[in-house]
Amino acid sequence: MSKRSVWVDTSGSKGYRFHDEHPFHPIRLELTEQLLRLSGEFPAAELIVPPFAEEEAEQAICKLHRHDYVDTVLALSEEHPDPEAVRKADAFGLGADGDTPFFPGMHAATRSIVAGSLAAADAVMSGSADHALHLAGGLHHAFPDRAAGFCIYNDAAAAISHIREKYGARVLYVDTDVHHGDGVQWFFYTDPDVFTLSIHETGKFLFPGSGFHHERGDSSGYGACLNLSMEPYTEDESWLECFGEALARAAAVFRPDVIVSQHGCDAHAFDPLAHIHCSMKIYREMPRMIRECADTYSQGRWIALGGGGYDHWRVIPELGAYCGWRCRPLRF
């Protein structure tokens, strides 16, 4: 990282854990952070812990999500939740048999993730940093009234809303997860000052079943939404050509004040939850392209969040090898 970059502490989000067999497991963060520390890319002096951010995150959650949904998340966060709350869980996307099952402490754990993304936004927008990375963030599928796709509260949308309200900045949101960034898109679908760009596997074959080219925004936000819907088995060259051209054109026309990006790494060929056949090359090139756009159009202001990626034992070692680092056995 550069001297003007900060890494947001993720310790408060370690409780975001559905169950041991669930693919969205905090071991993903531990493996990545170990790799970065051992490779010398994670200097402790550049960590920031969100100060007094929990209350601000609570307020952001209540502004963004429906009150009956937040109340249900709170009730289901108890060690032994009320049976009435359990009966309501399915209606809010939190059923025990769904992809986002409720678990003890989930409200506090997700609030910490929201707090981290708000802190990243403030670090960049206040001028104390040019870039901020919050690896635990990027819960882009959550909706105002329900959880979806492993996401309970939408920290990306919370950070963007915070930037709009506090700083009045125009935001370019770039989503590189293999799954369409649907939650963020729909939050800002009518907002002309938030441009959402998502590259993903086509919804014809993959969750969440959206993100098609005709989704372009609505009302005054028409034209501020761009979806790159890629066919299964797409490889590096096609993926990067589409992404690079779309990003360059969107940034040139929209001219953002800041870029917020979501960096799922599940378009990798080894990922078990998708069908794209890219390598680690795209995860070097896409951040480089985003940084160039930030330098050109937003005075370097760039907030990067994490995302999906579910083949831990192949992708993380390959990332290390790609960076020229000899991997050692990792201990937890």
Side-chain angles (χ1 to χ4, degrees):
M1 293 187 185
S2 75
K3 296 292 184 184
R4 294 278 296 167
S5 299
V6 292
W7 172 285
V8 179
D9 176 69
T10 62
S11 57
S13 64
K14 294 297 193 293
Y16 197 87
R17 180 172 182 165
F18 295 101
H19 53 74
D20 285 344
E21 288 72 41
H22 197 283
F24 200 81
H25 194 286
I27 192 66
R28 301 156 60 255
L29 293 179
E30 293 177 35
L31 288 167
T32 305
E33 290 181 5
Q34 278 201 37
L35 174 64
L36 291 170
R37 281 194 176 95
L38 292 170
S39 62
E41 295 296 326
F42 191 81
E46 296 191 2
L47 290 175
I48 62 170
V49 179
F52 314 110
E54 297 293 326
E55 183 177 344
E56 190 175 38
E58 193 81 40
Q59 294 171 356
I61 289 166
C62 290
K63 287 180 182 178
L64 204 64
H65 293 280
R66 228 168 60 183
H67 289 295
D68 56 344
Y69 171 57
V70 177
D71 289 343
T72 302
V73 172
L74 279 163
L76 291 170
S77 295
E78 299 294 332
E79 190 68 37
H80 302 289
D82 182 81
E84 180 60 28
V86 174
R87 280 193 290 272
K88 293 178 179 179
D90 280 327
F92 291 101
L94 294 165
D97 297 325
D99 59 15
T100 316
F102 66 88
F103 60 91
M106 65 179 176
H107 175 78
T110 320
R111 183 182 60 200
S112 290
I113 293 175
V114 174
S117 294
L118 295 180
D122 277 332
V124 170
M125 297 308 299
S126 68
S128 63
D130 293 326
H131 314 138
L133 174 60
H134 182 215
L135 195 63
L139 304 180
H140 59 164
H141 293 307
F143 282 78
D145 59 347
R146 69 185 189 277
F150 315 157
C151 306
I152 296 169
Y153 297 140
N154 200 315
D155 68 288
I160 294 169
S161 295
H162 180 70
I163 291 168
R164 291 286 308 125
E165 291 175 12
K166 186 173 181 178
Y167 301 98
R170 287 163 58 82
V171 182
L172 170 59
Y173 173 74
V174 182
D175 195 308
T176 68
D177 196 288
V178 80
H179 303 91
H180 174 227
D182 57 338
V184 180
Q185 172 180 296
W186 300 122
F187 268 112
F188 302 104
Y189 206 56
T190 61
D191 190 339
D193 293 312
V194 178
F195 192 110
T196 60
L197 187 162
S198 177
I199 184 169
H200 47 267
E201 182 178 338
T202 173
K204 293 184 293 183
F205 305 111
L206 193 67
F207 174 90
S210 57
F212 298 102
H213 70 277
H214 61 266
E215 297 168 25
R216 300 184 62 189
D218 199 8
S219 186
S220 58
Y222 183 78
C225 175
L226 178 60
N227 286 296
L228 309 175
S229 183
M230 310 299 284
E231 292 297 316
Y233 309 112
T234 296
E235 296 182 339
D236 291 346
E237 287 72 19
S238 296
W239 182 280
L240 288 173
E241 182 178 358
C242 291
F243 178 77
E245 184 169 347
L247 176 64
R249 291 192 180 194
V253 172
F254 184 70
R255 305 189 75 82
D257 298 312
V258 61
I259 296 176
V260 176
S261 55
Q262 196 269 16
H263 294 268
C265 60
D266 38 9
H268 192 280
F270 290 151
D271 196 273
L273 301 187
H275 316 95
I276 298 296
H277 270 215
C278 290
S279 73
M280 292 309 300
K281 178 180 179 181
I282 68 169
Y283 299 114
R284 180 188 66 182
E285 293 300 312
M286 289 192 293
R288 181 186 60 77
M289 294 174 185
I290 295 170
R291 178 170 179 163
E292 287 178 358
C293 281
D295 289 343
T296 302
Y297 298 106
S298 61
Q299 297 181 302
R301 289 187 288 264
W302 175 25
I303 299 146
L305 309 174
Y310 306 101
D311 192 340
H312 318 141
W313 302 108
R314 294 185 189 177
V315 174
I316 296 296
E318 184 172 338
L319 174 59
Y322 196 89
C323 295
W325 176 68
R326 188 182 178 118
C327 293
R328 299 187 259 176
L330 299 171
R331 298 182 180 179
F332 325 115

